[in-house]
Amino acid sequence: MRKLAVLATILAFSAAPASAQAPQLVTKKSAHDAAATVARLEEAIKKRGAAIVAKVDHAAAAKANGMELRPAVVVIFGNPKLGTPLMQSNPAAGLDLPMRVLVWQDAAGAVMVGYWAAASLAQAHGITDQDAVIKTMGGALDAITSEAVAK
C-alpha cells in the first residue's frame, strides 16, 4: 500500500498544471560594478522607449535603518503596449507588471542582474492568447539586460 501511495503522490505532482510550475529566474553576471550596471540598465530601458516607473534601493533602505546590505537595486519599468494586452487577458497580471529587474552584488563580489522570464508571467496568470506579446517582452528583457551587463 505504501508504494501505491508514493506512486499516487508522484503522479499527482507530475500532473500539476503549468501555472503551478516555479517561475524561471534569468540571471546574468555583469562586467561592471552595481552602480554602473544600474545606470547602464536604465539607459538601455530608455533607449527602447520604455518608461522607468520606480527604482528601489534595498541597500539604501537597510542603511537608513542601521543595517548593512550589499548593493541591491530593483528597477521597475514598462511599456503599456506590451503590458496592457496581458492585463486585458487577465487583470491579475497587473500584480507582476510593470516588469522589474534586480541588480545585486553577491557574497563573492560579483554583480548580477536577474528577472523573471516573461513566459513565467504568462504561466502564472494563465495567459495563453498573447504569445507574440510574451515573445516580444522576453526579447526586450534579454536585450536590455544583456546591454546592461556587457563589457
Side-chain angles (χ1 to χ4, degrees), residues 17-110:
S19 61
Q21 294 176 357
Q24 179 190 0
L25 179 65
V26 178
T27 60
K28 299 176 182 181
K29 187 175 180 178
S30 180
H32 310 281
D33 66 24
T37 301
V38 169
R40 292 171 59 88
L41 178 66
E42 291 175 325
E43 184 59 34
I45 290 166
K46 292 174 188 173
K47 185 165 99 177
R48 286 168 177 79
I52 296 174
V53 177
K55 187 164 64 170
V56 180
D57 188 335
H58 292 293
K63 185 176 183 177
N65 285 279
M67 300 178 349
E68 289 185 32
L69 182 65
R70 288 184 303 275
V73 176
V74 178
V75 179
I76 303 168
F77 64 97
N79 178 341
K81 291 179 182 178
L82 295 176
T84 301
L86 301 180
M87 291 176 56
Q88 288 171 332
S89 292
N90 183 352
L95 289 168
D96 294 313
L97 294 169
M99 299 304 295
R100 35 188 121 5
V101 173
L102 173 65
V103 176
W104 77 95
Q105 183 178 12
D106 68 16

Side-chain angles (χ1 to χ4, degrees), residues 109-130:
V111 174
M112 305 297 295
V113 171
Y115 60 92
W116 295 119
S120 295
L121 182 139
Q123 285 179 337
H125 298 288
I127 298 171
T128 59
D129 62 340
Q130 297 293 338

